[in-house]
Amino acid sequence: MKKIIATAYETVDPHQRVTNLAHEAWKARDREVWTNNIQDLITSDAVILDAGCGLGRLLPRLWSAKKIVMVEPDLKRFLHASVVAKCLINEDQELLTKLQDDDFVQTEEYEQLLQEIYSLPLKSEKVQLLNDVMQSKEISKYGTFDLIICSHIFEHISLDVIQESLAAFYNFLKPNGSLVIFACKSPVLYHFRAPKEFNNEHIIISREEFFETCKNGHSAGLGIRYIPFDLFQTLLSNPFNPTLEKTFGDEFKSQSASYELPATPLFTIKQWEAYHSQFYTHKNMPVGTYIEYPQIQARLCLPVKPIETVAEILDLEHQVNQNETLKKIHLIDMVVVAQKINSD
């Protein structure tokens, strides 16, 4: 097997460019969001699909479930996730910690791990891995699911792929099953392109350029789409809603290519939460230089001042989530928990 080359997704440490304060706040909000929205869905008898599992970052959090199926199209990330699964099965905490280090994944030792798991794929009843796209019909061979989680994939794929994925998820889920989606959000639809994942050199692009970036693959860089919550809600209800064509143009498809769907809505949103703010990390800017926190402070009639503690960040984000309008305007990430609507 040839050496596995890097893709647009190059880092195993998503916080590498973040100031210490923002890093701690992001981690704290990640834990809160998981506890608030997902933890209770992971029961000992749950069968879970991690759709677009990437490097397998979520797998330790899902481990208490009965069975986890992980699907990832990118070969390098798929093999990394396979090594993570093997570590959890073997209770190898030392290697699991190493796998979270960007320096380690540049070593020959890491390359050898990928080669080994490629040559001898992991076999386990607890966790099963598939190197494929998340809308693939092959996933149905693993049975139906109580819970499907799709973490920060939708912002990197075009509408037609989102449509087909939602159609697939509806068919993969058990009656009343849950769908959890993490995505980037904004009050208005807009798009960025970056050379690599977590690269700060973001260039604003048009929707058409975003679509071309998606079609051209990793060589074109990484497209990032920020979508309004209300538009996302429409997608979950009916991903083939004709009104979406006006917004998404040639990305829109009028029906699923592979799955049968009811005429009634597919999913209803049970709860959702906004979290994380944009921040500057330039070395010449003081810690506490954030883009939108002064706006949030002003809209909450609070003193406008630099952020100095993690507690201040958490408190502001909590207050934003108590107001439905501010929740749609502010913060750049959202987690949406939806439930499958059973057809009669």
Side-chain angles (χ1 to χ4, degrees):
M1 175 188 169
K2 295 179 180 179
K3 182 174 181 180
I4 304 162
I5 61 172
T7 68
Y9 308 96
E10 199 166 56
T11 181
V12 296
D13 178 10
H15 304 291
Q16 63 173 340
R17 299 180 182 274
V18 186
T19 62
N20 287 338
L21 176 65
H23 186 178
E24 293 305 314
W26 272 50
K27 289 194 297 183
R29 281 296 284 147
D30 278 341
R31 291 191 293 268
E32 286 186 344
V33 164
W34 189 269
T35 300
N36 294 346
N37 299 279
I38 304 158
Q39 191 60 58
D40 289 346
L41 299 174
I42 305 169
T43 58
S44 59
D45 59 349
V47 179
I48 298 175
L49 172 64
D50 187 352
C53 69
L55 299 169
R57 291 190 186 115
L58 296 183
L59 187 55
R61 291 178 167 181
L62 304 175
W63 201 246
S64 61
K66 178 182 179 181
K67 176 180 168 183
I68 307 116
V69 176
M70 304 171 69
V71 178
E72 171 57 44
D74 182 88
L75 179 59
K76 187 167 186 178
R77 292 162 76 83
F78 168 78
L79 294 175
H80 184 110
S82 299
V83 177
V84 170
K86 187 175 180 180
C87 286
L88 289 167
I89 291 168
N90 296 334
E91 299 183 350
D92 189 344
Q93 186 59 49
E94 181 180 355
L95 180 54
L96 195 60
T97 301
K98 281 185 177 181
L99 290 170
Q100 299 169 22
D101 185 347
D102 268 353
D103 291 332
F104 175 70
V105 300
Q106 306 303 320
T107 65
E108 288 298 322
E109 180 184 354
Y110 174 72
E111 188 65 33
Q112 185 61 35
L113 287 170
L114 298 189
Q115 299 283 353
E116 289 173 358
I117 204 76
Y118 178 83
S119 301
L120 191 62
L122 181 68
K123 294 183 179 180
S124 166
E125 289 298 319
K126 172 78 171 180
V127 56
Q128 298 172 350
L129 295 103
L130 179 64
N131 184 204
D132 206 340
V133 295
M134 61 187 184
Q135 67 271 28
S136 171
K137 281 202 162 186
E138 290 295 308
I139 297 171
S140 63
K141 295 180 180 179
Y142 296 90
T144 53
F145 300 92
D146 300 288
L147 170 64
I148 296 176
I149 297 179
C150 186
S151 179
H152 288 289
I153 305 298
F154 276 26
E155 60 258 40
H156 302 306
I157 57 179
S158 54
L159 177 71
D160 55 335
V161 180
I162 291 176
Q163 290 175 297
E164 199 65 18
S165 298
L166 288 172
F169 295 164
Y170 183 86
N171 280 269
F172 296 158
L173 279 170
K174 295 177 182 178
N176 300 313
S178 296
L179 172 62
V180 174
I181 298 177
F182 293 84
C184 292
K185 78 163 184 71
S186 169
V188 295
L189 184 72
Y190 72 100
H191 308 80
F192 277 126
R193 182 172 59 233
K196 296 280 185 180
E197 185 185 33
F198 301 112
N199 184 294
N200 286 340
E201 299 175 15
H202 288 182
I203 301 170
I204 292 182
I205 58 175
S206 67
R207 184 204 62 76
E208 292 79 5
E209 290 173 309
F210 173 84
F211 191 25
E212 283 301 311
T213 300
C214 293
K215 289 191 291 186
N216 291 333
H218 296 144
S219 62
L222 188 69
I224 308 167
R225 166 176 277 161
Y226 288 77
I227 187 167
F229 171 78
D230 289 339
L231 188 55
F232 196 78
Q233 191 171 30
T234 299
L235 271 169
L236 285 173
S237 177
N238 177 10
F240 301 96
N241 189 319
T243 62
L244 294 169
E245 185 173 10
K246 182 177 180 180
T247 300
F248 292 100
D250 53 352
E251 293 180 58
F252 176 80
K253 301 299 180 186
S254 60
Q255 62 184 14
S256 171
S258 303
Y259 297 97
E260 292 186 8
L261 297 172
T264 53
L266 303 188
F267 297 98
T268 182
I269 294 176
K270 306 300 289 185
Q271 61 192 66
W272 75 286
E273 187 169 349
Y275 66 109
H276 289 165
S277 178
Q278 288 280 23
F279 48 81
Y280 291 109
T281 58
H282 193 281
K283 62 184 178 181
N284 294 327
M285 293 181 177
V287 172
T289 305
Y290 295 85
I291 296 173
E292 63 178 345
Y293 283 154
Q295 298 174 8
I296 295 173
Q297 290 168 332
R299 285 185 167 131
L300 292 171
C301 299
L302 299 172
V304 177
K305 67 181 189 66
I307 298 295
E308 298 175 349
T309 67
V310 170
E312 287 180 273
I313 294 175
L314 300 188
D315 183 57
L316 281 180
E317 293 202 10
H318 295 162
Q319 291 192 60
V320 166
N321 276 281
Q322 292 170 13
N323 184 297
E324 285 297 315
T325 300
L326 294 184
K327 196 174 172 182
K328 294 178 181 180
I329 294 174
H330 291 295
L331 307 179
I332 62 167
D333 288 329
M334 61 180 168
V335 57
V336 177
V337 181
Q339 186 176 52
K340 176 179 178 177
I341 300 174
N342 302 320
S343 59
D344 295 330

